[in-house]
Amino acid sequence: VTLTWQADDPNGDPLRYSIYVKATDETEWHLLKDKIHQTTFTIDPSVLADGKYVARLVASDEESNPPSLARKSELQSAPFWVDNTPPEVEIGKQTVTGSAAEVQFVVEDSTSPLRSAETSLDGHDWLDALSDDGVVDSSKEVFTIKLPHLEAGEHVLALRAYDTAGNVGVGKAVIRIPRTGSPTP
């Protein structure tokens, strides 16, 4: 998460900034970085637990003024997500009928909404996959993948899902299409 801001002092004093954060379920602000002069700061997501956060920026001209004349101003950010955990991909229902197969994947992310998904059959190119409701936009989605004409033998169907933080979860289903008409020993 990168925070960027613009600020100026009416009489041209240099400004110094402090950045605080808190999760939306917390009541107190926690100092993340103090006494910085640049107008951008990148938060290392590994220092915060998964969750929804708000940042508070405090600007001060206290370096150029005596304490009685120093002024401060502050601004809060819009909420943002910290999400270091990939979505979980599990196989729901799997059916094989003749040379056709249907595999249901259930994908869930505990922190942020899902953004997209792709499938790959037997290691070939990844193809976009739509969830059963037609839009990949919530924290839990179901994907039913229909494969109408598979050759006899074993196939691997992989589903790769992305959340809005860019984390990737992958699951796979092994599909076995029976061989018909083969002689028995």
Side-chain angles (χ1 to χ4, degrees), residues 9 95 105 125-126:
D9 184 85
T95 57
F105 290 96
D125 292 341
W126 291 95

Side-chain angles (χ1 to χ4, degrees), residues 100 109 146 161:
D109 192 294
K146 297 178 181 182

Side-chain angles (χ1 to χ4, degrees), residues 87-90 105-109 114 116-117 138-143 159-162 169:
E88 291 184 28
V89 180
E90 295 186 9
F105 290 96
V106 179
V107 182
E108 189 166 6
D109 192 294
L114 299 167
S116 64
S138 57
S139 60
K140 183 176 183 179
E141 296 282 357
V142 176
F143 298 84
L159 183 120
R160 178 166 69 182
Y162 297 86

Side-chain angles (χ1 to χ4, degrees), residues 140-173:
K140 183 176 183 179
E141 296 282 357
V142 176
F143 298 84
T144 302
I145 311 302
K146 297 178 181 182
L147 304 165
H149 305 289
L150 294 172
E151 292 181 17
E154 185 175 271
H155 300 276
V156 177
L157 177 64
L159 183 120
R160 178 166 69 182
Y162 297 86
D163 64 18
T164 56
N167 299 309
V168 181
V170 180
K172 73 172 186 173

Side-chain angles (χ1 to χ4, degrees), residues 66-126:
S68 62
L69 297 176
R71 303 196 59 182
K72 290 183 178 182
S73 185
E74 64 181 60
L75 180 67
Q76 287 186 24
S77 73
F80 60 91
W81 287 99
V82 171
D83 182 358
N84 299 306
T85 306
E88 291 184 28
V89 180
E90 295 186 9
I91 297 174
K93 188 170 82 173
Q94 180 176 337
T95 57
V96 173
T97 307
S99 65
E102 184 174 291
V103 180
Q104 186 182 73
F105 290 96
V106 179
V107 182
E108 189 166 6
D109 192 294
S110 60
T111 306
S112 60
L114 299 167
R115 181 186 72 206
S116 64
E118 306 168 302
T119 60
S120 172
L121 181 63
D122 296 330
H124 293 109
D125 292 341
W126 291 95

Side-chain angles (χ1 to χ4, degrees), residues 40-70:
T40 186
F41 182 76
T42 300
I43 299 173
D44 177 2
S46 67
V47 302
L48 298 172
D50 286 1
K52 191 174 184 182
Y53 288 84
V54 177
R56 182 178 78 180
L57 175 74
V58 177
S60 171
D61 65 358
E62 62 192 1
E63 287 184 331
S64 303
N65 294 290
S68 62
L69 297 176

